[in-house]
Amino acid sequence: EHIKTQQEAKAGRIKEDAEALQARIEALVFEQRRQASEDGKLFGSVTSQDIVDFLAGQGLKVERRRVVLDEPIKTLGDTSVTVRLHHDVTAQLKVTVVRE
């Protein structure tokens, strides 16, 4: 019983930490300046590693595998990127790509 209570308390603290991190991530906007063609296609792309580096610069440590990005962002404009922080907690980071 005591071990079970400790495990539940630890799981609760981990989830609370993830929810606090979620609030901090959702308050941010990641603006990336990239060169692009006339029709808005990027020369290069914005990858999950770029997002992890941005979050690290904000003092938020997130593993690259937690960033859900099916394929790199290759167009100008706004994109919402999902960051899985806990199996019950996900954050949406707004990524804005603008022409350099």
Side-chain angles (χ1 to χ4, degrees):
E1 282 295 319
H2 179 67
I3 292 172
K4 185 177 179 182
T5 305
Q6 284 182 326
Q7 288 175 338
E8 288 173 358
K10 183 178 179 184
R13 283 193 306 274
I14 291 171
K15 186 173 179 183
E16 287 174 12
D17 292 345
E19 289 170 346
L21 189 58
Q22 173 191 23
R24 289 183 63 193
I25 289 174
E26 290 183 346
L28 298 172
V29 175
F30 176 35
E31 184 173 299
Q32 185 72 45
R33 295 188 174 278
R34 294 288 169 105
Q35 291 183 348
S37 65
E38 292 300 319
D39 59 343
K41 298 245 187 252
L42 297 183
F43 300 132
S45 60
V46 178
T47 64
S48 57
Q49 187 61 50
D50 294 326
I51 294 168
V52 169
D53 293 343
F54 166 74
L55 292 173
Q58 301 296 315
L60 305 172
K61 188 173 188 320
V62 176
E63 297 173 16
R64 189 170 59 95
R65 63 187 174 93
R66 298 277 183 195
V67 177
V68 181
L69 194 60
D70 295 331
E71 56 186 42
I73 300 168
K74 297 182 180 184
T75 58
L76 295 174
D78 295 337
T79 306
S80 183
V81 176
T82 302
V83 181
R84 285 180 296 129
L85 303 171
H86 185 269
H87 61 85
D88 293 334
V89 182
T90 59
Q92 299 295 322
L93 174 65
K94 182 178 178 187
V95 178
T96 303
V97 183
V98 294
R99 185 169 309 211
E100 190 173 66

